[in-house]
Amino acid sequence: MSDMSYDLLSSELEESADFIALSFNIADPLCFACCEVITDQYYLRAGDHVWHEHCLRCCVCQVTLGGHSSCFVKDGNIFCQRDFTNIHETKCCSCLRNIESGDWVRSAGENMYHLACFSCSMCQRQLSTGEDFATLDDRVLCRVHVLNPDDESVTCRPKSKRFRTAFNEDQVAVLQKYFDTDTNPTGSDLGMIAEEAGLPRRVAQVWFQNARAKLKRAMH
């Protein structure tokens, strides 16, 4: 048995990893799980209830949390860190992958998107910062398709014989961030950078080539 008790969580979504010796002002506390009197010297507190060390369990995997430094309480349910993360982690509404700390994101109402995933659901064009858009049935639509949400014949792409890439400011920020660190990234790094910026690998490669040439001219 541990010689200290844990004050695990007192608010809805906060995490506590502190070990706190509890005072014993409660006469004959009852374990919230088994409803038996707690006669042990130390017990656990999670939310508004107290528990035997062996009674506090994750509601998903049923692992006992007496040996854990923290847990999560949401809507009256107790979670271990792993299951809380799996269930309540913020996910991109387009690719459904987790949004990690440091990811470039876009929001539309309560929905979150990776930078590369924030595009019109009709024309698949990535939307830039400040560009008008709307949501319809959890679909993101550019300005043109807001007026024609179900007409696939409508296009907002200009017709041109020559393909030219128009970078938005967020894509440039991603590319410039990595260029400031390494002006000539490896092939694998270049693929990762292109994916983060939401660009084809070839486009990112050409951008780095042009940026190196511009830097070289500036130095002479």
Side-chain angles (χ1 to χ4, degrees):
M1 180 185 300
S2 172
D3 60 352
M4 299 191 74
S5 57
Y6 314 101
D7 190 357
L8 289 181
L9 212 68
S10 59
S11 61
E12 190 177 28
L13 289 176
E14 295 175 356
E15 176 185 356
S16 172
D18 297 330
F19 294 81
I20 304 174
L22 299 179
S23 60
F24 299 97
N25 297 326
I26 303 176
D28 299 328
L30 295 179
C31 174
F32 185 72
C34 67
C35 298
E36 294 183 1
V37 175
I38 299 177
T39 58
D40 301 337
Q41 184 179 5
Y42 300 102
Y43 54 84
L44 303 177
R45 182 186 301 277
D48 298 325
H49 305 291
V50 294
W51 317 66
H52 289 107
E53 278 191 285
H54 59 273
C55 287
L56 184 62
R57 295 175 178 270
C58 172
C59 67
V60 178
C61 66
Q62 297 301 311
V63 66
T64 56
L65 300 172
H68 290 224
S69 61
S70 62
C71 71
F72 293 83
V73 179
K74 182 173 176 61
D75 299 330
N77 295 315
I78 307 292
F79 298 88
C80 66
Q81 183 174 359
R82 183 190 64 182
D83 286 320
F84 184 86
T85 299
N86 290 338
I87 294 173
H88 298 288
E89 184 84 12
T90 301
K91 296 182 182 295
C92 172
C93 290
S94 178
C95 69
L96 302 181
R97 292 182 299 172
N98 290 341
I99 293 178
E100 306 293 345
S101 176
D103 285 352
W104 293 68
V105 298
R106 286 284 174 268
S107 63
E110 296 181 355
N111 296 334
M112 299 292 292
Y113 301 84
H114 291 110
L115 173 65
C117 296
F118 192 61
S119 58
C120 174
S121 63
M122 293 295 293
C123 63
Q124 309 304 316
R125 183 173 60 82
Q126 186 176 353
L127 303 179
S128 305
T129 300
E131 184 174 354
D132 291 337
F133 71 92
T135 57
L136 178 65
D137 299 329
D138 288 332
R139 292 185 299 162
V140 176
L141 300 173
C142 67
R143 183 175 183 177
V144 172
H145 287 104
V146 167
L147 303 176
N148 304 275
D150 298 309
D151 189 348
E152 297 183 358
S153 64
V154 175
T155 179
C156 58
R157 298 178 182 273
K159 295 182 179 180
S160 175
K161 293 183 179 180
R162 182 181 179 186
F163 177 78
R164 299 181 64 88
T165 301
F167 298 98
N168 61 48
E169 62 183 70
D170 298 304
Q171 290 171 329
V172 173
V174 172
L175 295 169
Q176 189 65 51
K177 177 183 68 173
Y178 287 103
F179 184 81
D180 291 342
T181 302
D182 184 1
T183 61
N184 192 15
T186 64
S188 59
D189 288 342
L190 193 61
M192 180 272 294
I193 295 169
E195 182 178 358
E196 182 175 339
L199 294 168
R201 184 181 181 281
R202 175 59 180 167
V203 172
Q205 182 180 16
V206 171
W207 186 93
F208 270 85
Q209 291 173 348
N210 292 339
R212 286 195 298 270
K214 182 178 180 181
L215 179 62
K216 185 177 181 180
R217 288 195 300 270
M219 295 174 64
H220 291 285

